[in-house]
Amino acid sequence: MQTFTIKPYAMPDSAPALREKVRALVAEHEHRFEPARRANCWVTPDPEFSCALGQAGLLGMGWSKEYGGHEMSALERYVVLEELLAAAAPVGAHWIADRQTAPLLLRYGTEEQRRRWVPGIAAGEVYACIGLSEPGAGSDLASVRSNARRDGDRWVLNGQKVWTTGAHISHIMIGLFRSEAGSERQAGLSQFLIPLDTPGVTVKPIIDLTGSHDFNEVWFDDVRLPADALVGTEGEGWKQATAELSLERSGPERYLTSQILLTEFVRRLEGGADAGQLRLVGRLVSELSALRQMSMAVAARLAGGEDPALEAVMVKDLGNSFEQAIPQAIAQAIELDLSADDALELLVAYSMQVAPSFSLRGGTREIVRGIVARGLGLR
């Protein structure tokens, strides 16, 4: 039976300076941040802020300077992400491109793909989305029906992706398509790099309960791509996509989405708190600390070239449960007027509407618990 493995790691000496650098940048732009949406900051886009991060050298931190990166460590990048999320900064424009797309291209992409797209991502000017989930299949990636077929020296794509975060502001998508006719489940899948202005691509909005537009449907109708749109090895898309998911599932965004709620709750209690409120703060901070240790342990192993997929989904499942529980716990601990314009009331009211979606991102709870069960030898 596999268990959660935590190997020793040390925070970089540069951490204090990096934290101050991020805090100064946030303070410069904070007047523009939308108050309520700060409770869901890593899907909230602000291209101006993303460009400012790129100019400050805070994107593409671990990549080679040859591609616009800064050759810093994974833990230095982790420090920056923590600060951005704790400050509830709107980082949604560049988040997926910086977290997944560029690392995928640097590992599996062609030299032309790297040179064309990665420097723009490091500058905070090129944004990306992920094309995985499909209607009727949800997060069961092995049920992908969207297909890619060869036509001479071209690929022709048809199908539909759904729940695609940020497609409406993205320049490119990394999409998973069935490239071998008649194949089933994990076999015969390939990844493609798709510029979203290609003829035949249609992006349609999915508006959530709050009226926000984060998710999309993306349609592919005879989309013709050059042969070099293939990313990595034909037929190896499943392996590539699942390795990429460890990056998505284990980061600090899995437990810090609602951090600003806890910050504002503590600020509200500064005038006096009862024993129950203090117990709640203590419990939430303790859980937060444990999740941080787990997430950083996964980050250290990913940086070492390992793929701790089981540990990554554990972080995602526990982290999602933690951040989904915070709004309700605070609402039960203190009297709130959710129609008021105060920061805590705005954040709680907004979070209660969007928190159910947190466990959909990066794989539903049913999918990730199935992975945990297999890892523990229970199925």
Side-chain angles (χ1 to χ4, degrees):
M1 178 183 295
Q2 183 180 345
T3 58
F4 199 102
T5 303
I6 294 182
K7 296 181 178 179
Y9 59 86
M11 293 300 288
D13 293 338
S14 59
L18 282 170
R19 293 191 191 282
E20 289 304 316
K21 186 173 183 178
V22 175
R23 290 171 188 176
L25 198 64
V26 168
E28 184 180 336
H29 291 263
E30 195 169 19
H31 65 278
R32 207 179 53 254
F33 299 169
E34 186 179 346
R37 294 211 59 182
R38 297 183 75 174
N40 200 16
C41 64
W42 67 271
V43 298
T44 300
D46 185 332
E48 183 178 339
F49 186 62
S50 292
C51 288
L53 288 169
Q55 291 167 5
L58 297 174
L59 300 181
M61 292 180 64
W63 313 337
S64 166
K65 292 181 180 178
E66 183 179 4
Y67 302 106
H70 304 284
E71 300 181 356
M72 302 179 80
S73 72
L75 289 178
E76 286 175 307
R77 177 175 183 270
Y78 198 98
V79 166
V80 170
L81 299 187
E82 272 193 324
E83 286 296 326
L84 290 169
L85 294 168
V91 293
H94 69 268
W95 193 260
I96 291 172
D98 181 64
R99 180 185 66 187
Q100 284 174 257
T101 308
L104 181 82
L105 293 179
L106 290 170
R107 182 174 182 181
Y108 296 111
T110 65
E111 188 61 20
E112 182 178 347
Q113 289 170 341
R114 294 172 187 150
R115 293 196 179 280
R116 181 177 179 189
W117 298 108
V118 175
I121 293 173
E125 297 170 351
V126 171
Y127 313 132
C129 59
I130 306 167
L132 293 176
S133 298
E134 296 191 358
S139 294
D140 180 10
L141 303 186
S143 297
V144 164
R145 291 178 294 177
S146 294
N147 64 84
R149 62 177 173 81
R150 287 185 182 276
D151 182 14
D153 62 352
R154 314 286 286 183
W155 286 98
V156 181
L157 274 52
N158 282 283
Q160 180 188 0
K161 300 293 180 181
V162 71
W163 304 117
T164 309
T165 304
H168 57 301
I169 61 164
S170 294
H171 302 87
I172 55 176
M173 168 192 282
I174 300 293
L176 187 67
F177 288 76
R178 194 163 293 285
S179 56
E180 180 184 337
S183 63
E184 295 183 354
R185 303 300 293 170
Q186 294 93 339
L189 298 170
S190 299
Q191 287 183 300
F192 293 88
L193 193 160
I194 310 156
L196 291 179
D197 59 357
T198 306
V201 177
T202 303
V203 178
K204 297 181 178 179
I206 298 175
I207 306 300
D208 67 23
L209 285 172
T210 69
S212 300
H213 178 194
D214 300 324
F215 299 115
N216 301 273
E217 294 178 289
V218 185
W219 296 79
F220 303 88
D221 184 14
D222 285 332
V223 176
R224 299 181 68 82
L225 298 175
D228 62 5
L230 178 72
V231 178
T233 304
E234 183 177 347
E236 294 289 321
W238 173 265
K239 178 182 176 182
Q240 295 174 195
T242 51
E244 175 190 353
L245 284 174
S246 292
L247 295 170
E248 180 180 359
R249 288 169 168 164
S250 62
E253 66 267 40
R254 295 305 171 194
Y255 63 93
L256 287 177
T257 302
S258 302
Q259 166 72 17
I260 192 168
L261 269 175
L262 180 55
T263 302
E264 288 298 331
F265 180 53
V266 171
R267 188 169 291 147
R268 180 68 62 88
L269 297 180
E270 287 177 349
D274 61 32
Q277 291 165 340
L278 291 175
R279 279 196 298 272
L280 175 60
V281 172
R283 177 171 65 80
L284 293 176
V285 171
S286 298
E287 292 180 19
L288 188 65
S289 178
L291 286 164
R292 181 174 187 260
Q293 291 300 315
M294 295 172 70
S295 176
M296 293 195 72
V298 174
R301 292 184 62 189
L302 285 168
E306 300 179 51
D307 181 20
L310 175 60
E311 288 88 342
V313 295
M314 288 180 173
V315 172
K316 172 177 157 43
D317 189 47
L318 294 171
N320 284 160
S321 297
F322 171 74
E323 60 186 11
Q324 285 178 327
I326 290 178
Q328 192 67 39
I330 291 176
Q332 291 174 347
I334 191 169
E335 187 172 345
L336 296 171
D337 176 4
L338 296 183
S339 63
D341 287 335
D342 292 337
L344 182 60
E345 277 77 0
L346 287 171
L347 290 165
V348 170
Y350 179 77
S351 297
M352 282 185 167
Q353 296 177 80
V354 300
S357 71
F358 293 172
S359 54
L360 298 176
R361 303 184 292 212
T364 63
R365 198 178 298 281
E366 290 75 15
I367 292 292
V368 299
R369 290 187 175 177
I371 297 171
V372 172
R374 281 195 296 275
L376 296 178
L378 301 176
R379 58 179 290 193

